[in-house]
Amino acid sequence: MKLCNDTITVFNKRSDDSGDYTFRPTVIRGVSWYGSTISNLTDKGLNAANQYTVRIPIDADFGGKRYADPLEYARSESINGMFTLAQGDVIIRAEIDADGLRPAQLKELCADFMTVLGVTDNRRAPKAPHFRVVGR
């Protein structure tokens, strides 16, 4: 896959014992990050928002972690050594490997910030197997 020269950090959202959420980081090197502006006209005027598409090749550098589908990740007691891509996760175009950061803090630290809206698993693609992640 061409132009995979960006580094991202995926922050997986997971509820803890108290019912609050924590965000666990995974740095991934060798991805493609694309941003655009989408807009729509409503009865209240023009609305615009940034939309991002991230393509993560299966041969990207996951820092020794393995991908787990969202159900496996949610059901696992120990998530050490794994990450997932699911709605509600946060991705930034930067390398920040620190536990305990909240989305509001991440927005202040990094201009390229998105909340995952959808994930397409294209690992069976014959020429360029990858994950496609879309968010705002």
Side-chain angles (χ1 to χ4, degrees):
M1 185 171 285
K2 295 180 181 181
L3 297 176
C4 291
N5 54 5
D6 285 311
T7 298
I8 62 170
T9 305
V10 176
F11 289 87
N12 291 129
K13 182 179 179 181
R14 186 169 165 103
S15 62
D16 61 18
D17 295 335
S18 68
D20 197 15
Y21 289 103
T22 59
F23 290 85
R24 301 274 315 256
T26 299
V27 175
I28 303 174
R29 293 175 183 84
V31 307
S32 169
W33 176 284
Y34 174 77
S36 63
T37 302
I38 59 171
S39 60
N40 62 3
L41 187 60
T42 68
D43 58 348
K44 296 181 181 179
L46 184 65
N47 290 330
N50 291 329
Q51 178 171 301
Y52 300 100
T53 302
V54 177
R55 285 189 169 75
I56 306 170
I58 62 167
D59 61 353
D61 177 2
F62 301 109
K65 292 186 179 181
R66 73 169 181 85
Y67 174 78
D69 68 63
L71 286 176
E72 177 188 359
Y73 188 86
R75 292 177 181 158
S76 295
E77 287 187 32
S78 174
I79 54 174
N80 292 331
M82 67 172 70
F83 76 99
T84 194
L85 299 166
Q87 278 187 326
D89 289 343
V90 171
I91 299 177
I92 60 169
R93 187 167 65 166
E95 181 176 340
I96 299 177
D97 194 9
D99 282 328
L101 294 174
R102 310 291 293 170
Q105 295 168 305
L106 293 169
K107 274 187 176 182
E108 291 177 6
L109 292 172
C110 186
D112 290 329
F113 170 100
M114 75 177 211
T115 301
V116 175
L117 298 176
V119 178
T120 305
D121 184 346
N122 292 323
R123 288 182 289 177
R124 292 179 34 177
K127 294 193 179 191
H130 66 282
F131 294 98
R132 180 178 178 267
V133 185
V134 176
R136 290 194 185 151

